[in-house]
Amino acid sequence: MTISEEEKRKVILTCAQPTGKLTLGNYLGAVRNWSTMLENHECYFGIVDLHAITTPTKPVTLRQNVFDCVAQYVACGLDPEKCHQFVQSHVVGHTELAWILTCLTPIGELQRMTQFKDKVSKLGFKAAEQEGEEIKFTHDGARAQASINAGLLCYPVLMAADILLYNADLVPVGEDQRQHMELCRDLAQRFNHQFSETFVVPDAYVGETGSRIMSLADPTRKMSKSDENERATLYILDEPGQIGKKIASAVTDSEAVIRASPEKPGVSNLLAIHSALSGQTIVQLEEHFAGKGYGVLKEELTEVITESLRPVREKYQELIQDKTYLSSVLAQGAEAAQKRAYKILSKVYRKIGLPDRNRG
Ligand code: TYM
């Protein structure tokens, strides 16, 4: 490839929080798609440890989770020879740019973010009466009140900084990140408008299948690693026995007909998972399962999940033993990320009038 072709390659950037094991939602909605983009793009994949500390995390767990995360990335097919995998806190610029963008963000925009409101209500607050632009939180107790830190509110601004710091063209994410992506685009446009053209306004890329995998216990909510119900969430490192148990107890309905429809969120979710892993369309699956019961669907789905994830689990078990290798992947990633980040950060500093230290 010539240099000019190299230069024309689109820049992909996306990130995930290091919260230990990746869920099936993270895999189908995110990481699996990323691995298909390596050949034709310049790819940066971040492990966002600074986002992770918006909720209380033990230091030893956080450190271990970063290694678990990179091992799972590589096991899912993110070949370090073809992309840059880095830890957010290793690269100077994320928090600096986040601060600059914070100064361009009205508080009301952050208070309106669905994920913020969800997190707040999960932390024990009764959600909020709307009052003009502002949302008021009536608290249930002092403990819950103490849990709402400003980081949780500013979380989407840091996310916007993660993306804009690399002038990424495309950001592959699951459906749940759409609103954060809109804020990121708004901030890029706002900055460009105020200080002249600086940032690429990035596009979200949401895959057609697997972009919204729902909880197995309550299929009206997304599958999430913070779910307290152990049966609600499948992890990509789950053993076959655990997968079987979780799928067997997945909530369905009493109609006993295997078809996807909004009134049947449980069955629709199981079909969506099957489709995302087996590559068969929902219509093909409905035909395949016509006249069969939910037991058959669950048994076949367990098999499909187990076999699809087996190579990932085996590769992970090998990689997690080799911390030296994993550290070298992250060091190489941070070096490449830092090089690009400094260029954009210097430009931003210049545009807004901060004295530049010429970081090279
Ligand atoms: P996180 O760590 O919650 O999730 C990582 C990725 O997994 C996707 N995802 C899902 N997709 C389908 N179904 C689900 N049930 C499901 N659950 C999670 C998410 O959409 C995401 O793509 N704020 C981000 C992390 C972040 C980021 C960024 C992402 C920080 N900076 C910059 C992109 C670009 C988050 O919490 O993802």
Side-chain angles (χ1 to χ4, degrees), residues 15-22 46-53 57 61-70 72-73 87-88 225:
C15 305
Q17 296 192 61
T19 31
K21 295 179 287 183
L22 295 178
I47 298 173
V48 287
D49 50 352
L50 297 169
H51 277 99
I53 61 169
T57 316
T61 312
L62 180 57
R63 221 166 279 135
Q64 180 59 37
N65 282 356
V66 168
F67 279 108
D68 283 351
C69 192
V70 65
Q72 286 171 87
Y73 277 7
V87 179
Q88 184 186 34
K225 29 202 164 194

Side-chain angles (χ1 to χ4, degrees), residues 272-325:
I273 295 172
H274 193 312
S275 166
L277 288 169
S278 67
Q280 296 184 63
T281 63
I282 300 288
V283 174
Q284 283 169 333
L285 289 172
E286 286 172 341
E287 279 167 13
H288 169 71
F289 286 115
K292 294 180 185 151
Y294 291 160
V296 177
L297 167 65
K298 287 181 168 182
E299 248 172 58
E300 190 177 312
L301 180 59
T302 299
E303 181 73 11
V304 169
I305 299 172
T306 307
E307 287 319 308
S308 310
L309 296 181
R310 188 186 300 282
V312 174
R313 205 174 53 248
E314 289 174 358
K315 185 79 187 154
Y316 165 83
Q317 277 153 1
E318 209 180 282
L319 287 163
I320 198 64
Q321 310 297 330
D322 194 350
K323 293 243 163 87
T324 312
Y325 169 71

Side-chain angles (χ1 to χ4, degrees), residues 14-15 17 25-26 29 155 159 162 173-174 176-177 210-211 213 223:
T14 191
C15 305
Q17 296 192 61
N26 295 140
Y155 179 109
M159 173 163 165
D162 297 337
V173 281
D176 61 326
Q177 298 299 319
S211 65
I213 301 298
M223 182 180 283

